[in-house]
Amino acid sequence: MKKKNKMNKIRYILGLLTVVYLLCACEDNLEPKVMSPYGDEYAYTLPGPVEGFLTNAYGAIPSQIDHYGSDFLDAATGDAVTNQYGSSVYALGNGKMSSTSNPIGIWDAAYSSFQWIHLFQEKSADTATVKWWIANDENDVIERTRLIGESYFLRAYWGMELLKVYGGVTESGEVLGYPIVTKFVTEDQKDEFLHVTRNTYEECVQQILDDCDSAIALLPLEYSGDDLLLGKAYIGRASASAAYVLKSRVATFAASPAYNGNVDVQEKWERAALLSQEAIDKANLSYTALSYEAVTNPTPDKGSLTTPQDYLFRRYHNNNSLENRNLPPAFWGNGRTNPSQNLVDAFPMANGYPITDPASGYDPQNPFTGRDPRLDNTVIYNGASVEINGRGLEVAEVVAEYIVLDADTTEVDDGTGNMVEVVDIISDTVIYRAGLDSEAYDYRGTRTGYYLRKWISTKADMLTNVNQKLNSEHMFPIIRGAEAFFNLAEASNEVVGPSGIVPGCSLSAYDIMKDIRSKSIGLGATDPYLDSQLGSADDMRALIQNESRLEFAFENHRYFDLRRWMLPLDETVRGMIVNQDESGNLNYEGTDPTDPSGFVDIEERSFDSDRYYYHPLPYDEMVKNPNLENNKGW
């Protein structure tokens, strides 16, 4: 084991050296990433430099979940706002997107990663060129096989990222994806590559599916135990389980309305259903509701190798940057991400009924009582604890305090012959104290009345101890097993309705939603509201979409889901105001979704054109290559 650790260190150092001189030679965008003349073919016989190419494709994947300029992409939807008015996500939410300024553009990162991946594949394919284990042929085959499998998965992953951002409909009505590249582009091939066209959306889907299949054939289903090459030390790298769910994801996107218009997509939905069922079966998945601990402190005192089973592909970081950005200012944070009233309203009551349903029992003046427990996992609301054993959140904007400015004290007979003192108030005034966590108390305070709970550590004194800044482990779940269940439910409902089962599958949309709601809300065997949705595919679709919204809140899904579903993008973001009188009584404004006159509007979403369902290709690429057709409206 010690020899292996030493070898890993040598690989790491050599890999870094190689990375340095390769990066120096990289050109931006679609131009080829060529080798530096400083390179030596001898370096390609060493496992460290060659594996370093693959490491760069991993390294381009963000390690923190709020990686859109330190914001969640949810803050560009109706689910949240950011209090950083100069941030790229704030600009995105206000419609400020163009071909020269795209806050979520990943063209360069994806094509640079393709270059690393293809360089790795070229240098690792020939067993005579590089030897992973000099003295152990069996281990050499195992490690080479795994790494090549990882390279196919990473190419599929980056392809899907390109498809999510740039896939769209052109002015001519074609549905296009991205230019597919499957080889390392050399300096000599640069010019010919500047004349490529975008592949069709379906061609890109098929490429991703094929790469996932190649990865599945070479990768372990999961990493577990203490095996030197396939054990838990490799958790976080590509696995066959993650590839199965990635297939489910790309097939579901491919069947979605944004990429099909009015075309009959029955076969695409059937494909999505079958691939989702395949992921559930082959990866041995079962739905597990995220616990409060999983989203606030997923691996306490256990180290980074302990990962929730649902997180099939994830990144990891151990610091307090999320807390620095998002804890309330009174807890030394910056209160950056503010969940919306829109999102809070989407959580049902603990009996499963939406809060707009008379059967729910919802009280707008006690808005957090008897709610779906996922609400506690997602937002910090007035009165909720911010830290373990900490004080409750105080966002009440007004606390009335009566101050006596002048008074006379006199004695009067109380009617029984006893003289008692009476304070005769000559004048008084009322002053108002803002709650410690309100916007009125600190300019960084919440704009909506809520702070982010999900992913934020609940450790006591996380930031307040200046002599000992605490860190907390954080998992960024890029691919979760739960996604396969939602995809299967969505696809099944589109093909055979709420209770039908697609041939080749074993679960209906109803079966899946009942299991998910039973485990996440705690409904048990009875779910009368879900039962009431069985008569209509439209009703079941809306329920699935809302459940997905809650399940994947602040995982950067909602932005892309709204677009693939072609749902309205211009919903005004709302908040709430809570007042507290001198007796401690609370009065909530904006918490009644059935009373628009009482809404507290916070921020408009300026997506006023169909073009916002798709993103523009980068301007530089369009200038260099006139064969690239842009999405409509750009």
Side-chain angles (χ1 to χ4, degrees):
M1 182 66 75
K2 291 182 178 178
K3 289 182 179 179
K4 178 64 176 176
N5 290 337
K6 185 175 181 181
M7 179 180 292
N8 283 337
K9 290 180 180 178
I10 293 173
R11 288 183 181 181
Y12 178 71
I13 294 170
L14 289 172
L16 286 179
L17 292 174
T18 305
V19 167
V20 169
Y21 72 72
L22 281 175
L23 283 177
C24 292
C26 286
E27 299 180 44
D28 289 337
N29 307 323
L30 275 177
E31 294 188 14
K33 314 304 189 264
V34 298
M35 296 297 298
S36 165
Y38 180 74
D40 186 344
E41 285 301 314
Y42 172 70
Y44 300 135
T45 67
L46 303 173
V50 177
E51 188 174 349
F53 304 146
L54 202 59
T55 301
N56 282 315
Y58 275 114
I61 301 172
S63 63
Q64 300 205 170
I65 197 165
D66 58 339
H67 60 85
Y68 294 94
S70 298
D71 277 309
F72 292 84
L73 195 52
D74 303 58
T77 73
D79 283 2
V81 296
T82 175
N83 69 6
Q84 298 297 306
Y85 296 103
S87 74
S88 58
V89 166
Y90 178 80
L92 178 62
N94 284 276
K96 294 178 174 60
M97 174 174 57
S98 70
S99 59
T100 57
S101 178
N102 186 347
I104 63 171
I106 47 92
W107 191 278
D108 291 355
Y111 280 98
S112 292
S113 294
F114 285 157
Q115 284 288 81
W116 294 120
I117 291 164
H118 297 145
L119 189 57
F120 167 83
Q121 289 178 340
E122 289 182 13
K123 299 303 179 183
S124 64
D126 185 359
T127 57
T129 301
V130 59
K131 193 79 170 176
W132 301 102
W133 286 80
I134 297 175
N136 191 321
D137 290 340
E138 182 179 356
N139 282 358
D140 183 71
V141 171
I142 293 173
E143 185 151 11
R144 183 189 310 277
T145 299
R146 190 199 77 234
L147 289 170
I148 293 174
E150 291 179 43
S151 73
Y152 281 112
F153 173 85
L154 287 169
R155 189 166 72 184
Y157 166 82
W158 281 111
M160 185 63 213
E161 291 301 293
L162 283 170
L163 204 57
K164 281 166 55 181
V165 176
Y166 300 107
V169 180
T170 67
E171 294 290 356
S172 62
E174 287 188 279
V175 186
L176 300 181
Y178 59 91
I180 295 174
V181 185
T182 57
K183 66 176 184 178
F184 180 76
V185 180
T186 67
E187 178 71 19
D188 294 338
Q189 296 165 333
K190 176 175 64 174
D191 291 341
E192 66 180 71
F193 195 66
L194 292 178
H195 300 284
V196 299
T197 59
R198 294 170 67 187
N199 288 81
T200 67
Y201 195 98
E202 183 58 30
E203 287 171 343
C204 293
V205 168
Q206 193 58 55
Q207 178 65 50
I208 294 167
L209 292 176
D210 290 345
D211 281 340
C212 284
D213 285 337
S214 296
I216 289 167
L218 301 173
L219 291 173
L221 198 61
E222 61 180 357
Y223 299 99
S224 61
D226 297 319
D227 186 272
L228 189 61
L229 300 177
L230 302 175
K232 63 183 180 181
Y234 292 94
I235 289 176
R237 301 180 80 125
S239 68
S241 295
Y244 277 121
V245 178
L246 185 55
K247 290 177 66 178
S248 167
R249 176 185 291 183
V250 69
T252 303
F253 266 74
S256 298
Y259 310 111
N260 294 282
N262 297 319
V263 177
D264 182 7
V265 290
Q266 183 85 353
E267 290 184 1
K268 290 184 179 180
W269 280 122
E270 289 176 355
R271 177 178 64 181
L274 290 170
L275 290 179
S276 299
Q277 184 71 63
E278 176 191 49
I280 292 169
D281 294 340
K282 295 291 181 66
N284 300 318
L285 301 177
S286 60
Y287 175 79
T288 303
L290 287 179
S291 66
Y292 186 81
E293 291 73 21
V295 297
T296 60
N297 196 16
T299 56
D301 305 319
K302 294 181 181 178
S304 62
L305 297 183
T306 302
T307 299
Q309 187 176 8
D310 184 52
Y311 298 1
L312 302 182
F313 186 55
R314 56 90 174 138
R315 296 283 280 164
Y316 159 81
H317 65 94
N318 184 20
N319 56 46
N320 60 19
S321 59
L322 268 173
E323 289 72 31
N324 245 314
R325 286 192 282 271
N326 293 293
L327 277 175
F331 290 84
W332 290 36
N334 287 288
R336 183 161 183 147
T337 304
N338 306 158
S340 69
Q341 187 65 45
N342 315 53
L343 175 62
V344 172
D345 287 349
F347 287 90
M349 297 295 284
N351 61 11
Y353 282 91
I355 65 173
T356 53
D357 193 304
S360 69
Y362 174 70
D363 179 1
Q365 290 305 313
N366 291 284
F368 314 121
T369 302
R371 297 293 292 274
D372 178 345
R374 289 176 293 185
L375 178 60
D376 288 341
N377 296 358
T378 308
V379 305
I380 309 175
Y381 50 79
N382 189 61
S385 178
V386 178
E387 299 178 334
I388 294 176
N389 300 320
R391 69 167 174 82
L393 192 73
E394 297 178 10
V395 296
E397 287 197 357
V398 178
V399 176
E401 295 179 347
Y402 288 88
I403 305 295
V404 176
L405 297 183
D406 196 5
D408 286 336
T409 301
T410 60
E411 288 187 345
V412 298
D413 190 323
D414 66 359
T416 64
N418 295 319
M419 301 300 291
V420 296
E421 288 187 348
V422 174
V423 177
D424 181 20
I425 299 175
I426 297 176
S427 62
D428 64 12
T429 188
V430 181
I431 66 169
Y432 300 95
R433 179 177 66 83
L436 294 176
D437 304 304
S438 70
E439 187 178 22
Y441 188 84
D442 189 300
Y443 72 95
R444 298 167 299 172
T446 174
R447 300 169 58 198
T448 63
Y450 301 100
Y451 288 94
L452 181 67
R453 168 79 289 156
K454 197 170 182 180
W455 315 123
I456 307 302
S457 175
T458 56
K459 288 181 180 178
D461 301 319
M462 186 69 194
L463 301 176
T464 56
N465 189 336
V466 295
N467 296 316
Q468 182 185 1
K469 291 291 186 181
L470 300 179
N471 290 330
S472 189
E473 294 184 343
H474 300 83
M475 298 294 177
F476 171 12
I478 299 170
I479 296 177
R480 289 176 48 200
E483 189 178 338
F485 292 94
F486 280 87
N487 292 342
L488 177 55
E490 182 179 348
S492 295
N493 184 58
E494 298 302 326
V495 177
V496 290
S499 57
I501 297 178
V502 176
C505 297
S506 61
L507 297 167
S508 69
Y510 173 80
D511 295 332
I512 295 169
M513 285 297 105
K514 187 165 186 176
D515 183 52
I516 287 173
R517 284 165 59 87
S518 172
K519 292 175 179 176
S520 59
I521 305 177
L523 293 172
T526 303
D527 191 345
Y529 179 74
L530 176 62
D531 292 344
S532 72
Q533 307 301 295
L534 280 173
S536 166
D538 291 340
D539 290 344
M540 181 60 74
R541 182 187 306 115
L543 186 143
I544 292 169
Q545 289 172 346
N546 191 69
E547 288 293 321
S548 179
R549 177 184 193 177
L550 306 184
E551 179 77 28
F552 300 105
F554 299 103
E555 297 183 34
N556 302 313
H557 284 238
R558 180 71 173 170
Y559 181 88
F560 295 108
D561 282 343
L562 286 172
R563 283 155 176 77
R564 71 179 180 87
W565 290 329
M566 298 293 286
L567 292 179
L569 304 177
D570 58 354
E571 180 182 8
T572 298
V573 183
R574 296 181 284 110
M576 70 89 184
I577 296 173
V578 54
N579 298 317
Q580 180 178 344
D581 66 22
E582 66 275 14
S583 299
N585 300 311
L586 300 178
N587 178 62
Y588 286 90
E589 299 176 23
T591 54
D592 186 352
T594 66
D595 180 19
S597 66
F599 285 176
V600 179
D601 292 343
I602 302 297
E603 187 172 296
E604 293 184 355
R605 287 283 171 255
S606 302
F607 300 118
D608 55 359
S609 169
D610 286 348
R611 69 177 185 164
Y612 288 108
Y613 286 98
Y614 313 105
H615 277 238
L617 272 62
Y619 174 78
D620 289 347
E621 299 304 320
M622 299 295 294
V623 170
K624 288 185 296 186
N625 183 359
N627 293 322
L628 292 176
E629 186 177 1
N630 216 335
N631 290 325
K632 65 178 182 180
W634 300 105

